[in-house]
Amino acid sequence: CSDSINKPVLTLFTKKPCPLCDEAKEVLEPYKTRFILQEVDITLPENSVWYDKYKYDIPVFHLNGKFLMKHQVDIQKFEDQLTRVESQN
């Protein structure tokens, strides 16, 4: 599974329930082979720093640890950033 080593990591800051997060994941579905999706539940005690930061903004996405977008998927921005990260690997 060496292929996944170089894949960008898309982090989704979320909580349950989150209809907007579900919607965002559907929008990203066609791209899912190009990144690793990591979900962070901001309501867990160990994620309180993210809860304080994003409680009014989820879904929030980070790409390889850098803030990418929030509230909804900006597909053009996502594609541009994903392609840029892929070309750096």
Side-chain angles (χ1 to χ4, degrees), residues 40-89:
V40 175
D41 184 339
I42 64 169
T43 62
L44 297 177
E46 64 268 27
N47 296 328
S48 63
V49 67
W50 296 117
Y51 180 81
D52 293 342
K53 192 169 186 175
Y54 292 143
K55 61 186 165 199
Y56 302 119
D57 289 320
I58 61 166
V60 176
F61 291 93
H62 285 196
L63 186 60
N64 280 358
K66 292 193 180 118
F67 175 81
L68 180 64
M69 55 196 170
K70 65 182 179 182
H71 300 151
Q72 61 189 38
V73 173
D74 177 337
I75 206 67
Q76 190 59 57
K77 182 177 190 177
F78 173 72
E79 272 189 49
D80 292 348
Q81 293 300 312
L82 184 62
T83 303
R84 187 181 61 77
V85 168
E86 287 170 334
S87 69
Q88 288 173 346
N89 285 345

Side-chain angles (χ1 to χ4, degrees), residues 12-23 25 39-43 51 55 58-59:
L12 166 60
F13 294 89
T14 184
K15 65 182 180 188
K16 301 270 186 260
C18 178
L20 287 175
C21 302
D22 297 336
E23 206 174 286
K25 285 193 280 189
E39 294 189 40
V40 175
D41 184 339
I42 64 169
T43 62
Y51 180 81
K55 61 186 165 199
I58 61 166

